[in-house]
Amino acid sequence: MTTTLFTAGWTFFRDGNPLGSVVRLPHDAMISETRSEGGGTGNHGGFFPGGSYRYSKHWSPPLDADEREYSLVFEGVYGSTVVTVDGTEVGRSESPYREFTVPLPALVPGVEVHIEVAVDNSRTPKSRWYTGSGIYRPVWLDSAPPTRITPDGVRVQTRTLDVGQAEVEVSVSTEGDLVHASRVDVELRDHGRIVASATSSTVNGGVVNLELLVPSPRPWSAEHPHLYDLDVRLETDHGILDERSLRTGLRTVEVDAQRGLLINGQAVLLRGTAVHHDNGPLGAATFASAERRRARLLKEAGFNAIRSAHNPLSRAFLDACDELGLYVMDELSDIWFRKKTPYDESPRFHEQWRDDVASMIAKDRNRPCVIMYSIGNEIAESATPAGVDVARQIQDHFRQLDRTRPTTIAVNPLLAMMAVRAKPSAGDDGPPERKPATSTAANQAAAKMGRLMVLASTLPAAERATRDVFDVVDIAGYNYGYASYAGARRRHPSRVILGTESMVGDLPAIWKRVTSIPGVIGDFSWTGWDYLGEVGLGYWSYGDEPGGIAKPYPGILAGCGIFDITGRPGAAIHLTQAVWGISDRPGIAVRPLDRTGQRANKTPWLASDALPTWSWGERAGKAQIEVYSSGDQVELQLNGRSLGRRRCGAATGFLTKFSTLYEKGELTAIAYRHGQEIGRSSLRSAGSPRLSLRPETEHVSGPDDLCFVWVELADEEGIVDVVAQDQVRISVSGPAELLSLASAAPSTRESFVDDEHHTYRGRALAVVRATGEPGTITLHATSDRHGVATTTLEALSDQPRDHRAASALSTKEQA
């Protein structure tokens, strides 16, 4: 089989508009729509409207079209999708996160066909967050011979793994007339060197199981993410019929109530966080370089695990986790058969969940990074007998398709109690609920109850509402329920516990339990990367501005990310690093000096609005300073003067606070342990800010590579003035296009697809997409008050790497 990117040469049409525009996939149709107070997705989706769209492409089949079978593989389309060829329907999909394959009809070599993809996402809101619309993930063209390895036909499992040898089973499924006369040859390579191989004599029944004995294996783990290349060939004496190549790692996973999570036999604690599928300024469009950037920054910050929220991760993100070393909990869905939003996928749940499970496992099964599956998030019906029965069916289906990974379900005990008390829903064969128990309702209750939500998890009613579904899965996943861990372990000594969702500010209390209670294997904070939609869940408002966790238009962001949508970390990153003890350098953050004296309308999902800066322009007044450290004491100095030494570390929740009148200069924090300095860090004020451009990389490679360019109001040393603001305009010349210009402003009327945008806290982010041709790319920026700036990038013509490596032989040039 050969696999070819099928992303260029599409024409995009909006419903009712006969004028199309040429696009290269992936493409988010929603991100360029006009937002408004009446936008159909409302607060859930950032006030974007839905819509109906059409993608059109003319394609001439190659000369071997009458000898091979061609199909299109869609990694993800958001909306009800119908695919036609020359006006005849050849496939459809209703599941927005499922990868699906559409076989193409009999093709005549060289005779052009017209392919259309109609996408209807007009009925909104469909979700509790921003979803995007259209063909938001890549499309591939598969070409297969008559006798071949089947799709998802190569399965790799590490049976045993020790220092001297690994036993690896490779299962290969085949189909076609010549299967009975063929054999399967498998080679495992380490940097090109064959380390193990095996060959079957003949293929009987279409399936071959081969054993590889790997001497002195190099195990895959988050600390040492070593990958091997596996080559599989289906052949006869006359030559190769079909072949596949994939990258995989040798890795075992176990969970044990006493020893916890074991990776390759070693106990591991998950320092996790959640990520949504959108890429902020890019909307829902899935670009490999954007996914890798998110994974890399989270890994560098100290996280070792990612939870997909609340749908399967993209292939590109999983590629990055395999290569960089991040454990993954891949999640099936946020919805079962009870509605959470008016037009969600719940009416189709019973008919589609099995296909969704099979698609997710086919994508994940050979990836070492995926160590567990979540069968659902905050499913209220899981507290009912009908829901427990469905959970058991899903669990059994996962077990049937993949016995190598444990399962969990993310249960919010507060929501579970609400669901038990709620009236039956239509999905329970009863009358509709008047006030359904949903994740949104639980969040609203939590915002009012504060930490009482956590304490609610210790109630006997919470135990009764969660025990049956927890008995179904391998790992009990608690959302905001860490206070119940000790009691749950006493009542259920064989239970393995995982914090599947938590508020970052609770991490000191959570991690104390993770490291002291047997069978508790880690925690996932909400959330690692900010996202579009669920507007106002985290960001604070001030004074008379609307408060609460459901803020009005023109709000666009959730505002609760450890990293904002542009990739800048906030104060929470210092807390996580101090709690985990992964850095001895103290972290400094300062509450916004331009909000001094204004009442803060807080939400539980953002522990602090402080920013890691001491650059507040000409502002004056009392500065409130937060210092995070694992040391037992912290000293703070301003321009060489000591502002005192205070307790810190576990005794104070790894945070201590100072206040002083703001003055420009240098703020320095010094951490001590047992009286000895262990680390220090400083923040300095900016001089006169000017407009500057700062690319994260110096070159781009291939037609889909991205470069992220910081647009900053900074002084000559690169220190940004966070109270400076300006409108900037970007132009791009050379073999590239401006894909997005955005900021991390939580509330804005500006579009992310225009060539001008206001800075927020002194910054904006430009995203440039290469065209694939070599040459020099020039970015030119102008501003109203801070001058102009120019930077250049080198564009290389390298082809992109195949991000469907688990099922593809090679990536050819664009079809």
Side-chain angles (χ1 to χ4, degrees), residues 584-781:
D584 285 333
R585 296 179 68 243
I588 313 172
V590 182
R591 294 206 55 220
L593 204 64
D594 53 356
R595 293 294 193 173
T596 299
Q598 300 180 37
R599 176 177 54 88
N601 304 308
K602 304 178 182 180
T603 89
W605 278 271
L606 188 68
S608 172
D609 63 346
L611 303 172
T613 182
W614 189 243
S615 186
W616 298 97
E618 301 305 320
R619 295 295 193 275
K622 181 169 288 189
Q624 300 178 43
I625 304 161
E626 300 174 351
V627 182
Y628 300 84
S629 177
S630 61
D632 51 39
Q633 286 188 320
V634 167
E635 180 184 6
L636 190 66
Q637 297 178 353
L638 175 57
N639 293 326
R641 305 190 314 271
S642 177
L643 302 180
R645 186 185 291 198
R646 297 185 179 175
R647 295 176 65 207
C648 201
T652 65
F654 302 91
L655 167 65
T656 190
K657 298 180 180 181
F658 296 82
S659 64
T660 188
L661 291 176
Y662 175 71
E663 64 180 66
K664 290 184 179 182
E666 185 173 50
L667 192 67
T668 299
I670 307 169
Y672 299 89
R673 186 175 295 130
H674 306 307
Q676 300 296 315
E677 178 179 333
I678 59 173
R680 64 173 61 201
S681 57
S682 297
L683 297 174
R684 286 184 293 148
S685 306
S688 298
R690 296 284 297 172
L691 181 66
S692 66
L693 296 175
R694 182 170 57 85
E696 290 188 349
T697 56
E698 297 179 351
H699 60 80
V700 287
S701 302
D704 293 307
D705 201 8
L706 306 180
C707 183
F708 297 84
V709 183
W710 288 100
V711 183
E712 297 174 327
L713 305 179
D715 66 11
E716 293 181 351
E717 296 183 15
I719 301 173
V720 173
D721 188 336
V722 297
V723 294
Q725 184 175 351
D726 208 341
Q727 186 174 39
V728 297
R729 291 162 291 279
I730 300 288
S731 62
V732 177
S733 60
E737 63 174 332
L738 180 66
L739 201 59
S740 177
L741 179 61
S743 77
S747 182
T748 180
R749 287 180 167 82
E750 295 179 299
S751 171
F752 291 171
V753 298
D754 290 341
D755 60 2
E756 60 180 59
H757 205 91
H758 279 89
T759 59
Y760 175 73
R761 292 300 184 197
R763 291 181 174 89
L765 183 71
V767 186
V768 175
R769 184 184 194 181
T771 63
E773 285 124 21
T776 299
I777 302 168
T778 300
L779 278 75
H780 183 69

Side-chain angles (χ1 to χ4, degrees), residues 512-529:
K512 182 178 180 180
R513 290 163 170 82
V514 170
T515 54
S516 63
I517 300 175
V520 181
I521 64 174
D523 182 73
F524 288 87
S525 58
W526 192 265
T527 181
W529 204 277

Side-chain angles (χ1 to χ4, degrees), residues 300-360:
E300 290 172 353
F303 295 95
N304 70 356
I306 298 295
R307 175 196 181 194
S308 67
H310 298 290
N311 39 263
L313 280 176
S314 70
R315 286 181 177 267
F317 206 118
L318 292 172
D319 281 345
C321 292
D322 275 346
E323 294 163 7
L324 297 172
L326 283 164
Y327 302 117
V328 171
M329 177 178 76
D330 217 5
E331 191 156 71
L332 178 65
S333 181
D334 186 53
I335 304 158
W336 284 4
F337 54 79
R338 283 190 178 184
K339 281 188 177 293
K340 290 189 177 183
T341 53
Y343 302 106
D344 62 27
E345 301 299 317
S346 56
R348 287 183 289 276
F349 169 77
H350 287 294
E351 67 184 50
Q352 71 185 21
W353 71 259
R354 288 174 179 82
D355 290 337
D356 288 346
V357 170
S359 175
M360 185 170 85

Side-chain angles (χ1 to χ4, degrees), residues 7 10 168 219 232 265 289 372 466 519 534 580-581 597 672 675 717 739 775 792:
T7 53
W10 292 85
V168 179
V232 181
S289 52
M372 73 177 72
T466 59
E534 211 165 14
W580 294 329
Y672 299 89
E717 296 183 15
L739 201 59
T792 59

